[in-house]
Amino acid sequence: LSGTKIESVTLPKYLEYIGEYAFAECSYLPTVELPENLTTIKMHAFDDCETLESIKIPAGVKTLSSSLFYNCSSLKNVELHEDLEYIRSYVFEGTAIEEFVIPKNTQYINEFAFRECENLEKLTISSGIERVDSFAIYECPNLKYVVIESGVECIEYDNFIKCENLTDIYCEDTEQPEG
């Protein structure tokens, strides 16, 4: 289907896997309803879907693969579940997301996951996150406000570079470790 002019798609309820580039460059596809049985969405599956506006990721999907929504320039709403474990590189690069809450229990956010998110104004890094890689949040010129909840273990160096409008970072109170 990659590069076709499809405007809608109905996926079977039993579908568990979407392969690499499956819907890439489907420039006329405003929304996709993913089946609840889905467990895997491979890299670049929705790459360059310019009119994709919203999507809901089913609970069985534990990883947002690299470049999943790369350059989906109309994508404003991504509904995620609390059991998401990984957000890989370049997942949201070039999207139109304005506010984003990284789900609790997400373990890792890889480099450039939020690169060039020009409309992103508020980002919440929820508790339970083990590591935010270097450059994970990069070149988001309109990012103004970041909330870091208690329980976030590590935010690596070189995050928030080229986020020139960032004025507020709020870190929830936590107890100081002993020693």
Side-chain angles (χ1 to χ4, degrees), residues 34 41 44-49 52 55 57 64-73 75 78 80 90-95 97:
L34 300 175
I41 309 172
H44 299 278
F46 296 97
D47 194 293
D48 281 311
C49 290
L52 184 65
I55 195 161
I57 304 298
L64 297 183
S65 298
S66 295
S67 302
L68 186 59
F69 302 113
Y70 176 83
N71 211 26
C72 292
S73 55
L75 185 63
V78 179
L80 301 173
Y90 304 100
V91 169
F92 297 111
E93 180 173 351
T95 62
I97 294 170

Side-chain angles (χ1 to χ4, degrees), residues 51-109:
T51 60
L52 184 65
E53 296 173 355
S54 66
I55 195 161
K56 178 182 178 185
I57 304 298
V61 176
K62 305 295 184 203
T63 298
L64 297 183
S65 298
S66 295
S67 302
L68 186 59
F69 302 113
Y70 176 83
N71 211 26
C72 292
S73 55
S74 298
L75 185 63
K76 288 186 175 187
N77 182 35
V78 179
E79 189 177 330
L80 301 173
H81 55 85
E82 293 296 319
D83 293 324
L84 184 71
E85 295 176 1
Y86 301 99
I87 299 176
R88 297 294 188 205
S89 302
Y90 304 100
V91 169
F92 297 111
E93 180 173 351
T95 62
I97 294 170
E98 296 172 0
E99 185 172 329
F100 196 86
V101 177
I102 298 167
K104 293 180 184 332
N105 304 317
T106 301
Q107 295 173 18
Y108 298 102
I109 302 167

Side-chain angles (χ1 to χ4, degrees), residues 121-137:
E121 293 183 9
K122 182 178 180 185
L123 179 65
T124 301
I125 303 172
S126 299
S127 62
I129 293 176
E130 293 178 26
R131 187 179 75 230
V132 178
D133 280 349
S134 298
F135 300 103
I137 304 149

